[in-house]
Amino acid sequence: MFHTRRVLRFPGAAVALTLSAAAVALTPATAAAQEYYADIQPLIQRNCMGCHGASGPGWNMEDADATYERRQMIAGMTLQRLMPPWLAEPGHQEYVGDMSLDEQDLETIRRWRDAGFPRGRRVSDVAANDHRWAHPADAHAHAFEPDVSLEVLPGGTYLPVQTRPDDYRCFVVDWTEEQPGYITGFRARPGNLQVAHHVVVHAVAPALVERFRELDAAEDGPGYQCFGGAVPDRLGRRAERDAYEAQHPGGIRELSRGNFWLAHWAPGMDGHVFPEGTGIRMVPGSALVVQMHYYGAAAPGQQDAGTRVEFMTQRTVERPAIHLAQTRNEWLGGQQNGSMVVQPGARATYEVSDQLSELVPWIARLTNVPQDNISGLEIHSVNLHMHAHGHSGIVSLTDGNGRKETLLSIPRWDLRWQRDFTLANPKTFSLGNLDGVTLTAECTFHNRTAEIVYGGYGSFDEMCFNFAYIAVQRTGQD
């Protein structure tokens, strides 16, 4: 799913500047006073070093003189709002960790550009260093402190299939915690970004862990092919499916119901702390199925090694939560069924909607909160996902009276930068007011190629997903 290989050929780390919008309160200066060392360098040091320090994903900005040589790019990317990579259109919602630059920061950069990029006098290294590493904008990422770290390929490597552009591979990883608890934050750390396209982590119920391990062992090499999710693709073939059902009557349904979407990562995402008081339930004896979408032929010879998935955990939380992966499964077979087709040179919009009241039984099962104890639902975050042909998208919420509200609008899709947009004020509904409440995702694609684009799993196919984090308000303890 997440990103196409074009991103890895043109990584944001190589061409982009991340200026965080922690809205640093700079002292207003006159138009003639904007200088690099006095005004721009402190702004960079306070806002950019989380991504552009020595250990960050962006090009290293610690050398002030070398950074000045990229002055035109810095001004151009920020003033066009291409950097920082914050895709949400303003004016709809307030988001936690909004990285966009405020007007005062932009005006500082604009005046500096219009004055011809004056360099000014270099301040002392001691004074400059006083400002470094603040980077307070994204509280979600910078408060992430994992207490569980699991290696996906312990001591081993995996070479993606070299004869096709995309390889979806699943690996079964033991959940090591011995006490029941809740996941309250997640981060994926791919071992090789040359081949890592996305990571999706599914949680497997203890009763089915051995089944998944048997399925893993039945395929050659590490893991098993899994374009369609946690269940092996080969069980979609009639002979394989019939043989499995003969051994385990009703087994395919058990495998499908016995796992759920736990967390996800794509380039542009970092460690993410879930909203306070919430978490996703995990029990001892569970396992993780880590689905890796790899580049294959586009990165010849590149192997994955050292990929890790990391979690923050707590024993209890006030409000259990789930991740809703909102899409239409038929779109993923667009070429076969014609459900998602974008003609050459054309635009097309696809929409998926879910009524929250219809999701309550499923949410009750995953959170282990009896349905009678659910008093309400909270929508905390949304996250649109498309591929290379994505143009724009909207996630909206319609209440029981038909009033429609935009939760997220991305007018200019950029597949290099994907993230969960966490609402500063979550949308809350009592159980009695859920009737008619509808969550909708709209994805608009623009096919600039001479070939038809279909919905599918490949990097140059298309997808329309909304990932929503939904927490449960309850009347009693589970």
Side-chain angles (χ1 to χ4, degrees):
M1 295 179 194
F2 292 87
H3 276 223
T4 74
R5 58 179 159 274
R6 293 180 182 177
V7 178
L8 296 176
R9 291 185 181 278
F10 305 100
V15 301
L17 162 71
T18 300
L19 291 176
S20 126
V24 177
L26 300 178
T27 302
T30 63
Q34 308 307 299
E35 295 180 343
Y36 174 68
Y37 287 115
D39 303 293
I40 305 303
Q41 186 62 16
L43 187 154
I44 289 173
Q45 289 171 332
R46 289 170 177 163
N47 293 288
C48 307
M49 304 310 289
C51 290
H52 289 273
S55 61
W59 55 275
N60 194 337
M61 300 176 72
E62 291 184 10
D63 186 326
D65 292 330
T67 300
Y68 177 78
E69 297 305 315
R70 303 195 188 195
R71 56 194 176 275
Q72 291 183 336
M73 185 187 73
I74 292 172
M77 296 290 282
T78 54
L79 293 177
Q80 293 179 70
R81 294 187 180 273
L82 296 174
M83 286 288 138
W86 186 261
L87 305 185
E89 184 178 44
H92 300 291
Q93 302 290 333
E94 180 182 351
Y95 305 102
V96 176
D98 188 339
M99 296 169 62
S100 55
L101 292 175
D102 64 17
E103 285 303 321
Q104 182 173 319
D105 290 333
L106 291 171
E107 183 63 18
T108 296
I109 297 169
R110 187 177 296 111
R111 289 176 175 176
W112 175 55
R113 179 203 62 186
D114 292 347
F117 303 104
R119 194 165 190 154
R121 186 175 63 86
R122 185 186 181 102
V123 297
S124 70
D125 289 338
V126 174
N129 288 342
D130 287 344
H131 297 293
R132 293 171 67 176
W133 316 118
H135 197 66
D138 193 345
H140 277 336
H142 295 277
F144 185 82
E145 296 180 358
D147 53 274
V148 176
S149 180
L150 304 174
E151 191 168 356
V152 174
L153 288 157
T157 63
Y158 178 72
L159 177 66
V161 176
Q162 301 289 284
T163 56
R164 60 174 181 245
D166 302 284
D167 183 12
Y168 280 66
R169 199 76 177 175
C170 280
F171 306 98
V172 182
V173 179
D174 286 330
W175 179 248
T176 56
E177 295 302 281
E178 298 179 353
Q179 298 293 328
Y182 292 84
I183 291 171
T184 58
F186 171 73
R187 175 172 67 194
R189 298 176 62 190
N192 185 350
L193 288 172
Q194 293 300 311
V195 294
H197 181 293
H198 83 246
V199 179
V200 173
V201 182
H202 304 267
V204 174
L208 291 170
V209 170
E210 285 307 310
R211 295 261 198 97
F212 274 93
R213 288 212 169 276
E214 290 170 2
L215 292 166
D216 185 338
E219 285 196 26
D220 293 336
Y224 55 87
Q225 183 176 296
C226 57
F227 277 80
V231 178
D233 289 348
R234 67 180 187 274
L235 293 184
R237 298 193 289 268
R238 180 178 295 276
E240 297 263 6
R241 182 174 66 251
D242 291 347
Y244 190 81
E245 287 287 336
Q247 183 181 5
H248 303 286
I252 304 295
R253 184 172 185 271
E254 289 178 343
L255 293 174
S256 299
R257 285 177 55 86
N259 78 88
F260 64 88
W261 187 295
L262 178 63
H264 47 268
W265 170 90
M269 299 175 70
D270 198 355
H272 181 68
V273 180
F274 300 162
E276 186 176 358
T278 74
I280 300 177
R281 181 174 177 267
M282 289 291 290
V283 297
S286 300
L288 308 176
V289 171
V290 180
Q291 182 196 59
M292 301 290 300
H293 179 174
Y294 291 117
Y295 303 106
Q302 291 288 329
Q303 300 191 59
D304 182 16
T307 291
R308 305 190 74 88
V309 287
E310 299 183 331
F311 305 88
M312 294 175 61
T313 65
Q314 291 180 193
R315 288 294 304 278
T316 62
V317 297
E318 180 184 355
R319 303 181 310 285
I322 56 96
H323 270 123
L324 169 66
Q326 190 178 26
T327 191
R328 295 191 185 280
N329 289 330
E330 60 264 29
W331 289 340
L332 300 174
Q335 186 167 6
Q336 292 75 34
N337 58 33
S339 60
M340 179 178 281
V341 180
V342 188
Q343 295 294 333
R347 294 188 186 184
T349 298
Y350 287 84
E351 177 182 302
V352 57
S353 296
D354 287 290
Q355 291 200 29
L356 295 190
S357 60
E358 297 177 358
L359 299 177
V360 171
W362 173 72
I363 292 172
R365 179 170 63 86
L366 292 189
T367 59
N368 199 40
V369 177
Q371 193 167 334
D372 290 344
N373 287 358
I374 295 178
S375 60
L377 299 180
E378 303 169 350
I379 300 176
H380 282 274
S381 68
V382 293
N383 176 353
L384 273 174
H385 169 66
M386 294 174 278
H387 277 182
H389 307 285
H391 175 271
S392 56
I394 296 173
V395 179
S396 60
L397 185 68
T398 304
D399 68 17
N401 296 314
R403 291 186 294 264
K404 190 174 183 180
E405 178 182 12
T406 297
L407 301 186
L408 173 67
S409 173
I410 297 179
R412 184 172 57 188
W413 172 253
D414 186 338
L415 51 77
R416 295 171 298 178
W417 305 108
Q418 302 181 54
R419 62 178 295 128
D420 293 325
F421 290 90
T422 300
L423 305 172
N425 300 299
K427 305 304 174 182
T428 302
F429 298 90
S430 68
L431 197 63
N433 290 327
L434 274 183
D435 287 345
V437 177
T438 304
L439 187 64
T440 300
E442 302 173 32
C443 299
T444 296
F445 306 102
H446 187 184
N447 180 5
R448 296 178 174 86
T449 75
E451 305 292 333
I452 298 175
V453 171
Y454 296 98
Y457 292 102
S459 295
F460 293 101
D461 299 325
E462 267 306 340
M463 293 182 172
C464 178
F465 269 86
N466 169 39
F467 305 110
Y469 186 80
I470 301 175
V472 168
Q473 296 179 341
R474 50 185 173 170
T475 58
Q477 297 298 309
D478 51 324

